[in-house]
Amino acid sequence: MLASKPGLLDEVRSRFAHVDSCPFEGERVFFENAGGALTLKSVVDSSARFAAIPDNQGRDNPASKALQAIIDRAKEDMRVFFNAPGGTFFVGESGTELLFRLISAACLGTPAGRVLGSTLEHPASRSAAARWAEVAGKPHVLVAHDDATGSIDPAHYAPQITPDTRVATIIHTSPVTGMGTDVAAVAAAIRGVAPECFIIVDGIQHAAHGRLDLAGYGVDGYVVSPYKMFSRHGYGVAWVSDRLAALPHDHLANAPGEPWELGTRDTGAYATFSDVVAYFEWLGAQVTEATDRRARIVAAGEAIHAHEAALTQAMIHGVGNLPGLADLPGVSILNGADNARREGLVALTVEGMPAPDVVAKLRERGIRTHTRKADHYSGNILRPLGLSSCVRVSMCHYNTEAEVARFITAMREIADGA
Ligand SMILES: Cc1ncc(COP(=O)(O)O)c(C=O)c1O
């Protein structure tokens, strides 16, 4: 746990903007990381620096060459960070936009056959697959996820994997349940029956929790939203395998290399992703003796996971003498209190109190959380559980046990008054 090394958590927190106060609301605990994580101060600096530079890539002047070198370096950083075997990284408008682009290219660029996904997915990939499967004249088959675990396994996909499954989508971590999927195992099950299938993964909720390893997944596309992983809003990052990159896709006619980027690139976006990678390397260096970049990133991911697991354990089972959520009368935890798939997120309900009221009461006590409603974003998860809403409490590795203690103290008051 990061907290066991003296001073480390303070050093971690000092690297982020607005760690304990909001410029609009004042002092608060930030447990709304699944809606957008805290931003690294280095990202804030890089954003301002690059926003002021008027130059563009591809010109014969030093500024242009410097910008190109920064983009090239960022792509190298992405390769190490994601452990990517070949393929191409590029930025787009958002995670959603990139999922639409990858999925449309895969649906349109493959022979007749099925498009396979699951009910666990965020509407970004579900909507893209539904739309582009229809345009391509392919059936879109959605397998049901497991309500008990709030996740999905190869066994759930298996009955619907056919040799003509051309495109498959997988969500790495649900932003509603907070539970992770074993992407490598699902991809292997798909490849076992449909080896040529284009497998596209929504990694948007997973990325902040570290432990990314494209070489181990055996997939063709992976998309993240950098504002959910300590960078900023305004861009998404995608990786496509060489075979997905080679499918017909939108690009300027006759453009050398048939790029996936559309239009002038924002060097600042790339630079801020390098800041994120540098942060992971720094964090890794605090918890391992290894000097290799990838080894440090892996170590950072393990430390992040262990710290978040300790925080969710404390939230559910208590801190010191304070009882945890599992022991508060009327409080229910979605998808099981002790679920090993959990990635920093606890979704809950309070009997007799609508989720928006719980969120408001937490806000009055200086704790920011969020309501998930059974709408087009979260209805796929909540409706089968018979819920119209839930409270989402989402943490990252910079959160502390003291913040958790404050939260469960507030929850006890709220549950007592329910
Ligand atoms: C798993 C998942 N996929 C897709 C999205 C959409 O991402 P964006 O709004 O950054 O495009 C989100 C956002 O919450 C998400 O959590």
Side-chain angles (χ1 to χ4, degrees):
M1 186 166 162
L2 297 175
S4 58
K5 187 167 172 188
L8 180 53
L9 204 45
D10 287 338
E11 276 195 63
V12 163
R13 286 169 74 81
S14 74
R15 283 171 159 74
F16 289 88
H18 304 308
V19 71
D20 50 20
S21 76
C22 161
F24 304 100
E25 196 184 20
E27 190 263 350
R28 55 100 181 88
V29 171
F30 193 71
F31 283 168
E32 220 306 77
N33 290 284
L38 295 180
T39 308
L40 282 164
K41 289 177 180 167
S42 55
V43 164
V44 178
D45 291 346
S46 294
S47 297
R49 199 164 60 253
F50 285 95
I53 297 173
D55 295 278
N56 203 339
Q57 301 103 41
R59 271 68 171 168
D60 185 13
N61 65 63
S64 183
K65 291 193 171 73
L67 296 181
Q68 188 59 54
I70 286 158
I71 292 173
D72 293 344
R73 205 195 77 202
K75 290 190 178 190
E76 243 347 275
D77 290 343
M78 289 170 183
R79 194 166 291 291
V80 180
F81 181 78
F82 288 97
N83 200 27
T88 304
F89 285 99
F90 59 99
V91 303
E93 171 192 333
S94 65
T96 301
E97 185 257 353
L98 288 166
L99 283 167
F100 267 80
R101 263 210 269 161
L102 267 53
I103 291 168
S104 68
C107 288
L108 296 176
T110 47
R114 75 169 39 174
V115 178
L116 183 63
S118 85
T119 57
L120 190 67
E121 289 169 42
H122 183 279
S125 57
R126 268 188 300 132
S127 313
R131 166 158 162 69
W132 288 101
E134 187 179 4
V135 173
K138 294 178 161 83
H140 179 214
V141 178
L142 277 184
V143 298
H145 69 275
D146 182 4
D147 290 329
T149 61
S151 182
I152 191 151
D153 291 326
H156 300 104
Y157 273 84
Q160 295 294 349
I161 307 170
T162 51
D164 73 343
T165 300
R166 306 293 181 208
V167 183
T169 48
I170 306 172
I171 186 164
H172 203 154
T173 302
S174 162
V176 185
T177 70
M179 305 307 174
T181 304
D182 185 343
V183 168
V186 174
I190 295 167
R191 295 239 181 272
V193 179
E196 301 298 309
C197 180
F198 285 92
I199 303 175
I200 296 166
V201 180
D202 173 348
I204 291 169
Q205 172 63 22
H206 174 73
H209 306 289
R211 309 204 299 174
L212 290 139
D213 179 20
L214 285 175
Y217 299 154
V219 302
D220 294 287
Y222 198 93
V223 172
V224 298
S225 291
Y227 72 93
K228 292 198 193 230
M229 50 182 301
F230 323 128
S231 179
R232 61 162 162 84
H233 287 97
Y235 73 106
V237 169
W239 173 82
V240 285
S241 66
D242 290 329
R243 59 194 285 272
L244 177 52
L247 288 182
H249 56 272
D250 288 345
H251 62 79
L252 296 187
N254 306 318
E258 303 187 338
W260 279 75
E261 270 138 346
L262 292 171
T264 305
R265 285 159 294 167
D266 171 10
T267 306
Y270 280 99
T272 62
F273 205 91
S274 285
D275 291 332
V276 172
V277 179
Y279 170 73
F280 269 76
E281 284 184 59
W282 169 81
L283 183 59
Q286 311 311 306
V287 294
T288 179
E289 300 292 310
T291 52
D292 172 68
R293 296 185 70 197
R294 177 70 195 158
R296 285 182 169 175
I297 289 166
V298 170
E302 294 302 330
I304 285 171
H305 184 76
H307 183 73
E308 291 176 352
L311 291 179
T312 51
Q313 173 76 9
M315 184 171 279
I316 293 168
H317 292 296
V319 181
N321 294 331
L322 289 173
L325 294 172
D327 293 316
L328 294 184
V331 173
S332 299
I333 299 166
L334 270 61
N335 311 115
D338 299 307
N339 189 329
R341 301 168 195 237
R342 191 181 299 285
E343 295 199 321
L345 191 155
V346 180
L348 62 93
T349 58
V350 179
E351 204 182 325
M353 191 179 291
D357 293 357
V358 180
V359 170
K361 285 175 191 295
L362 286 166
R363 188 183 63 236
E364 287 157 13
R365 290 165 173 79
I367 299 166
R368 187 163 297 170
T369 58
H370 183 48
T371 303
R372 298 305 323 195
K373 292 191 288 245
D375 58 8
H376 65 295
Y377 282 113
S378 309
N380 53 321
I381 308 292
L382 296 178
R383 256 181 252 113
L385 298 173
L387 296 173
S388 58
S389 62
C390 73
V391 180
R392 181 178 71 185
V393 189
S394 53
M395 293 180 281
C396 269
H397 67 283
Y398 37 64
N399 287 124
T400 65
E401 196 180 82
E403 291 178 320
V404 171
R406 184 167 159 185
F407 169 80
I408 52 180
T409 304
M411 280 302 297
R412 186 155 61 165
E413 286 171 20
I414 294 166
D416 279 351

